[in-house]
Every structure is written in C-alpha cells, then in structure tokens.
Amino acid sequence: MKAQSASALPAIQSAIRAVGSRVTPARVRVLAALQAAPGPQSHADVEETLTRQAHPAVDRVTLYRVLDWLCAAGLAHKATDARGVFRFSAAAPNVEHAGHVHFRCTGCGGVFCLKAPPPAPPKLPRGFRLAAVAFDIRGECPRCVKSHA
Amino acid sequence: MKAQSASALPAIQSAIRAVGSRVTPARVRVLAALQAAPGPQSHADVEETLTRQAHPAVDRVTLYRVLDWLCAAGLAHKATDARGVFRFSAAAPNVEHAGHVHFRCTGCGGVFCLKAPPPAPPKLPRGFRLAAVAFDIRGECPRCVKSHA
DNA sequence: CACTAAATGCAACGTTGTTGCATCGGCAAC
DNA sequence: GTTGCCGATGCAACAACGTTGCATTTAGTG
C-alpha cells in the first residue's frame, strides 16, 4: 500500500500541475488518500487517514478547501451518502461518472459504485430543467449485514 | 387560506387521535402547516411558518420531535433535499410513496414528486441487502429557471 | 535570494440534528 | 369538578458538518 501510493506520487503531482495550480503537500496527500481509498471518503475519513500518517496533520478547514478545490479542478467527485454527508472520490480519467449508480449503506454510510447502467430519466413536466440523475439504492453492505447478525 | 386551515383542524385532530396519541397544539399546528405548504418543508421552513403565527413559538427541539413523530405515525413523510437537509411533507392517505420518484431543485432546494414509476433495481453483488431505491433527478424547477434568466 | 500571490492554519461562527432532564398538560378515572 | 399519571414540551447543552475572515507561511518565478 505504501509502495503503491509512493509510486503514484509523480502522477499526482503532474496532475495537479496540469490544472495550473500549486503543488502543495496537502493537495498531494489528500488526492493520494482518495486514490488509495476503497470507496468514496467522507471529510472525517480523509482527516483520520491523514492524521495517522506521522506527517503533521492537515487542518480541518484546509481539508475542506482542498477537497472542494479538487472537485472544482475535476480531480475528484463529490456525492452525498445515506446520512446526507458529502463524500469524495478520486476522479478516474476514463470512468464516466455522470448518471452513476450508487449503493449507499445505511449502516456504515459507505458508498459503493455499481456496474449497472442507470435507467433513462422519465419525462419532466413543462418548465423543469434536468441537470443530473442519480439512481440511489439503499441497504446494507456485506460487512454491516454480517456485523449485526 | 386561513379558512381552509381552520376547516381542516377537526380532520387533523381526529387523524392524530386515530393513531392513539395525544392531541397537542404543537402536533396540530405542525401538521396543519405541512398540509398548507405548497411542497416539502425543511425544519427551518416549518419553524419560520409557526413563528409567524402570533401563537407562542414552538421549541426547536419539540419541532424536531413532532416531525419525527408524524413520520413514525405515518402522517408525514421524510426526504432529503439537494443539500442533504431533511424535508417533511404531509402524508396523502391514498398516495403510494414507496419507491417514489423525486425531482430536487438545486436552486431553491424544493422537492417535487413525479408521476413516473421508479425503474426496477439492478442486480446487487453478493452479500448486499437491498432496503430502498430512490431515483433522484436534479435540476431546476420552473420558478428557479425563470428567476435567474 | 527576494518577491508575490496563492495556500495554509487558526479562531470563530452558523446550521442541522440529538440527548438529558425538569416541568407542564392531555386525557382518563373517579 | 378534581385528581393523577404518563406522555409531551421547553430548556440547556452537546455533537457533527460546513463556512468565513484574517494573519502567516510557502510554492513558484525572476
């Protein structure tokens, strides 16, 4: 895991530089954490991950700003979990996220991406303007099903 | 509008009594406010509505508890708006809300119910347990489209 | 190295929602 | 009509999530 993130560092740095902004430790570490994560991470998840890294902890506010900046730069995506909390995931260059299908665990709040294609949006009444569709499926992930069985 | 809510009061009181709980001013006023509202109301919306009513204001915590109680009693429904904030709507006795399709306005945060039936849920990977599906459609409602045109 | 704009850290605040506990008041029984 | 119980309310405090303002630091440039 450590070797993997280390090997991805140059790619991360050049990705940030390509957007035309400064390469800072906070941005690199946050993006690396998102890329190494198994699924969409909440602000608290990322903060905990970074705090465990011996490096000086990243400020809570800075983390919010970095995450928002990553989204604005197109390097990450923002979604909400089952409790309405924002979750962030690293943008995979070749993955289409528009109209993605998500499974949201009501136990741990985790978000899982499903392979199934999203269904077609229904007809809207006159005057409504469509921006995005999200087919959200709620339930419990295998871990949570087992944990309280 | 006043005449309408006044005429609905007995119905509200008997509906609450039918659930087998006490008829209190807070519950009656909150349910009346939900029924009179043009769409799903956030906690803040309801609080503002009640504060404007000359009657003594309902406590913030009581309002949360009443709203949750109305949902538990089946007299109201709970959903989240585009910002992840809970919104409550009076339950229409003959409307099926399971698997409902919602349109959420990113401008005003409003929630609109669509008539279209929800699509069938896709196959889940092994171990996942399905609880609910929600086909969320985001965009702008006619009012917001016009307002900033 | 020095400079400057951008990024960070810190503090404080705002909103949304919850919990614990003392008090009040529907409603039923007498 | 009065009494009394238990549910409902009000109050205070707390917790999670997110934002804003401002002083300080730092990445990148000349």
Side-chain angles (χ1 to χ4, degrees):
Chain A
M1 200 57 109
K2 282 225 174 98
Q4 177 212 340
S5 22
S7 69
L9 280 187
I12 289 177
Q13 293 174 354
S14 58
I16 293 175
R17 211 179 307 268
V19 182
S21 258
R22 292 187 183 170
V23 177
T24 65
R27 288 176 179 174
V28 174
R29 291 174 62 200
V30 170
L31 187 48
L34 287 186
Q35 288 184 354
Q41 301 281 289
S42 69
H43 171 276
D45 292 336
V46 178
E47 189 173 20
E48 192 192 337
T49 301
L50 296 187
T51 305
R52 266 200 302 257
Q53 286 183 350
H55 301 279
V58 174
D59 187 72
R60 211 169 60 91
V61 177
T62 299
L63 181 49
Y64 273 113
R65 289 197 271 235
V66 167
L67 287 170
D68 279 341
W69 178 87
L70 286 173
C71 291
L75 295 173
H77 295 294
K78 195 181 197 175
T80 54
D81 70 7
R83 294 202 319 270
V85 177
F86 291 137
R87 280 178 179 264
F88 300 86
S89 53
N94 45 0
V95 170
E96 184 55 53
H97 263 262
H100 207 88
V101 179
H102 291 120
F103 182 93
R104 305 186 184 184
C105 178
T106 54
C108 63
V111 179
F112 305 85
C113 294
L114 300 184
K115 290 297 192 304
K123 280 206 194 83
L124 295 176
R126 282 196 68 80
F128 285 85
R129 187 158 63 189
L130 182 70
V133 296
F135 191 38
D136 293 328
I137 302 160
R138 278 145 207 259
E140 286 189 318
C141 68
R143 182 194 308 246
C144 289
V145 168
K146 268 184 295 187
S147 74
H148 68 66
Chain B
M1 201 55 108
K2 282 224 175 99
Q4 178 212 338
S5 21
S7 70
L9 280 187
I12 290 177
Q13 293 175 355
S14 59
I16 294 175
R17 211 179 306 268
V19 182
S21 256
R22 294 186 182 170
V23 178
T24 66
R27 289 177 178 172
V28 174
R29 290 174 63 199
V30 170
L31 186 49
L34 286 186
Q35 289 185 353
Q41 301 279 290
S42 69
H43 171 276
D45 292 338
V46 179
E47 189 174 19
E48 192 191 339
T49 300
L50 295 188
T51 306
R52 265 201 302 256
Q53 285 183 350
H55 302 279
V58 174
D59 188 71
R60 212 169 60 89
V61 177
T62 299
L63 182 49
Y64 274 112
R65 289 197 271 234
V66 167
L67 287 170
D68 279 342
W69 177 88
L70 286 173
C71 291
L75 295 173
H77 295 295
K78 195 181 196 174
T80 55
D81 70 7
R83 293 201 322 271
V85 177
F86 291 137
R87 280 177 179 264
F88 300 86
S89 54
N94 45 1
V95 170
E96 182 56 53
H97 265 262
H100 208 89
V101 179
H102 291 120
F103 181 92
R104 306 186 183 184
C105 178
T106 54
C108 62
V111 180
F112 305 85
C113 295
L114 300 184
K115 290 299 192 304
K123 279 206 195 85
L124 294 176
R126 282 196 69 81
F128 285 85
R129 188 159 63 190
L130 182 70
V133 297
F135 190 36
D136 292 328
I137 302 160
R138 277 145 208 259
E140 286 188 319
C141 68
R143 183 194 307 246
C144 289
V145 168
K146 269 186 295 187
S147 74
H148 68 65

